[in-house]
Amino acid sequence: MASLQSSSVIGSVAYSSTSCSRRGTTRATINMPKLRTGGLSLRLPARDLIPEVLDMGVGLSAAATSHVEKIYESSTNRNSPSLGSNVSDPMVIAKLHAIMEAVADRVEMHQNIGEQRDNWNSLLLTSINTITLSAATMAGIAATSVGGPLLALKTSSTLMYLAATGMLVVMNQIQPSQLVEEQRNAARLFKQLHGWIQTALSSGSPTNSDVEDAMKKVLALDKAYPLPLIGVMLEKFPETVEPAVWWPQHGQRQEKPIKRRDGNGWSVELEEELREVVGVLKRKDTEDYLRLGKIALKVNKILSISGPLLTGIAACGTAFMGSSHGSWTAMVGVVAGAMASAVNTMEHGGQVGMVFEMYRSNAGFFRLMEETIESNLNERDVGRRENGELFEMKVALQVGRSLSGLKNLAASSSKKGEAIEEFASKLF
């Protein structure tokens, strides 16, 4: 029965083509009979039948031919796997997971050490002020005493002032409040790196370049915010104030003589707009935070020297207390001690070191924005850049502006130039 149905199909095709060729038309009709389902099933090979029908010389119309070819191509694509599919390397994924675990561990370490150093700041501040005020009280009482009590009180006051002086010298060298701010910044930046690695893994196709970038970023953060205090601690009183750098440094990319073309969300107007934004960041935001950082550094230096100096003077004053030297030694011991306590409170209670580190980090944030924008603009092949529209939105969010606000800032900068008084950032 199946053989009869197959022969009837071929006969129908042949008869239809013969009759149509006699009439001079190019239309053909193929009537495929429905096969009954039963114990005997006949499956015609679709991949082989369609090319045979196309080669029989039947004058099919263009619409029918394209329809048949589409069916053939779709069946071929379903049966054969795609050769261009991107398959992630399991070793690359394993490396990124290992780096992500190390980054998560560093986040925990910096948070714990930050809390510990915050306790250092509060405990040392309270202890030193208590010792200083107690020594000043003893010096005042000793001024009204004679004989044995005078010797005991002035000796105790002198020793307490000396102890406060030594503790202040150590505290002013390590600047606990500045150390706390460093750990806060490190924890925040490591969290950002952790999220970046998660995004690379969720994209489904991480590469070896992602692994190298992640490693470089981890090492750059370790160098920018070290955990130990001895040997590698950041300089608390640098000669020059520079922005904090926590990202890998790349060499200056040379511009290739490639004709610039639009595409990938980039245009001439967008490039000019971002160049104006970079100019405002350099002239206003970065320079202003570096200026504030220099002021905070000078104030911190003065307070760091004044505190131990005043406690040392108070110790000398109480050491020479007695009837032969008059009352001025007692006055020096009491007044210098009170002033030392006030200076210590201003420096460490006000966390001047933390303020300096905050200004330095803000300047580094703007410096990173400048380098990121310039690296994209220096890449002449727009296909290798980040998408222009997405990049513009990121820049606007980083400076706390809308897209229209960013365009207005660029327009104002192009008109006024260096005379512009507006800052690029509205966040801080």
Side-chain angles (χ1 to χ4, degrees):
M1 182 64 182
S3 62
L4 290 176
Q5 289 179 354
S6 300
S7 62
S8 65
V9 172
I10 299 174
S12 175
V13 173
Y15 176 76
S16 178
S17 62
T18 305
S19 60
C20 290
S21 61
R22 290 175 182 176
R23 295 177 185 177
T25 61
T26 60
R27 185 174 181 180
T29 303
I30 301 175
N31 296 321
M32 300 296 294
K34 298 181 180 180
L35 298 178
R36 297 178 180 178
T37 59
L40 178 63
S41 62
L42 177 61
R43 295 182 180 178
L44 297 177
R47 293 181 60 186
D48 299 331
L49 178 60
I50 292 175
E52 290 176 3
V53 173
L54 294 176
D55 294 335
M56 288 174 62
V58 182
L60 299 176
S61 63
T65 305
S66 62
H67 179 66
V68 173
E69 288 177 350
K70 287 179 180 179
I71 296 176
Y72 177 71
E73 291 175 358
S74 63
S75 63
T76 304
N77 292 333
R78 285 196 304 268
N79 294 330
S80 62
S82 176
L83 298 177
S85 60
N86 294 327
V87 180
S88 300
D89 187 358
M91 183 55 65
V92 172
I93 296 178
K95 290 179 179 179
L96 284 177
H97 276 289
I99 297 174
M100 189 168 61
E101 290 178 2
V103 169
D105 186 57
R106 279 170 168 79
V107 171
E108 189 70 20
M109 284 192 299
H110 282 283
Q111 287 179 343
N112 294 339
I113 293 178
E115 293 177 1
Q116 179 195 36
R117 292 174 179 176
D118 190 24
N119 291 333
W120 285 1
N121 187 61
S122 59
L123 292 175
L124 285 173
L125 174 62
T126 304
S127 300
I128 293 174
N129 280 346
T130 301
I131 294 173
T132 304
L133 293 176
S134 299
T137 303
M138 288 184 179
I141 297 174
T144 60
S145 303
V146 293
L150 172 62
L151 180 61
L153 288 172
K154 76 173 187 179
T155 303
S156 300
S157 178
T158 303
L159 291 177
M160 293 178 73
Y161 273 135
L162 292 176
T165 302
M167 294 174 67
L168 268 177
V169 169
V170 175
M171 190 176 183
N172 292 342
Q173 282 295 116
I174 64 175
Q175 292 291 317
S177 64
Q178 187 172 344
L179 291 175
V180 174
E181 183 66 17
E182 292 173 7
Q183 305 313 311
R184 290 196 195 103
N185 291 332
R188 177 178 59 85
L189 294 171
F190 272 116
K191 285 181 180 179
Q192 288 183 0
L193 180 57
H194 190 272
W196 180 83
I197 297 174
Q198 284 183 330
T199 303
L201 287 172
S202 63
S203 66
S205 57
T207 60
N208 285 321
S209 62
D210 295 329
V211 177
E212 294 177 0
D213 290 343
M215 285 291 296
K216 290 179 181 178
K217 290 179 179 180
V218 170
L219 296 177
L221 280 173
D222 288 339
K223 182 179 179 181
Y225 299 104
L227 289 172
L229 293 179
I230 301 175
V232 294
M233 183 179 66
L234 295 180
E235 179 63 37
K236 297 302 181 286
F237 302 99
E239 295 294 332
T240 58
V241 179
E242 296 291 338
V245 178
W246 60 81
W247 58 91
Q249 295 296 306
H250 302 285
Q252 293 292 331
R253 184 180 298 171
Q254 297 180 355
E255 296 186 5
K256 298 180 181 179
I258 299 176
K259 186 178 180 180
R260 200 202 64 77
R261 57 183 177 85
D262 294 339
N264 195 23
W266 288 91
S267 62
V268 178
E269 293 78 9
L270 179 58
E271 289 187 357
E272 294 299 327
E273 173 189 338
L274 292 178
R275 286 194 178 93
E276 294 295 336
V277 172
V278 170
V280 176
L281 287 173
K282 288 182 178 179
R283 294 191 302 268
K284 300 295 292 184
D285 299 76
T286 305
E287 289 298 325
D288 187 64
Y289 276 104
L290 289 177
R291 179 183 63 82
L292 293 174
K294 292 177 181 177
I295 295 175
L297 180 62
K298 289 180 180 179
V299 172
N300 199 23
K301 283 182 178 180
I302 294 172
L303 294 177
S304 297
I305 296 173
S306 301
L309 181 62
L310 288 172
T311 53
I313 293 173
C316 294
T318 55
F320 291 103
M321 286 178 61
S323 58
S324 61
H325 297 91
S327 61
W328 65 269
T329 54
M331 183 180 296
V332 168
V334 174
V335 174
M339 292 179 62
S341 179
V343 169
N344 188 34
T345 303
M346 289 177 59
E347 180 183 6
H348 299 289
Q351 299 186 351
V352 182
M354 181 275 293
V355 174
F356 166 69
E357 182 63 26
M358 182 184 66
Y359 287 150
R360 200 173 69 94
S361 298
N362 290 344
F365 171 76
F366 293 124
R367 178 65 58 84
L368 176 60
M369 283 189 63
E370 296 168 12
E371 292 187 6
T372 304
I373 296 174
E374 289 175 347
S375 65
N376 275 274
L377 295 178
N378 291 337
E379 178 58 61
R380 306 310 299 171
D381 185 5
V382 294
R384 298 179 60 183
R385 297 180 184 177
E386 189 175 355
N387 182 269
E389 296 179 1
L390 178 62
F391 187 72
E392 181 185 17
M393 184 187 70
K394 287 182 178 180
V395 172
L397 290 174
Q398 286 176 340
V399 296
R401 291 177 177 267
S402 62
L403 293 177
S404 59
L406 194 67
K407 295 181 186 296
N408 293 335
L409 173 67
S412 178
S413 175
S414 62
K415 291 179 181 178
K416 298 180 181 179
E418 296 185 359
I420 186 173
E421 297 181 356
E422 187 178 6
F423 289 88
S425 176
K426 287 184 173 294
L427 288 178
F428 43 82

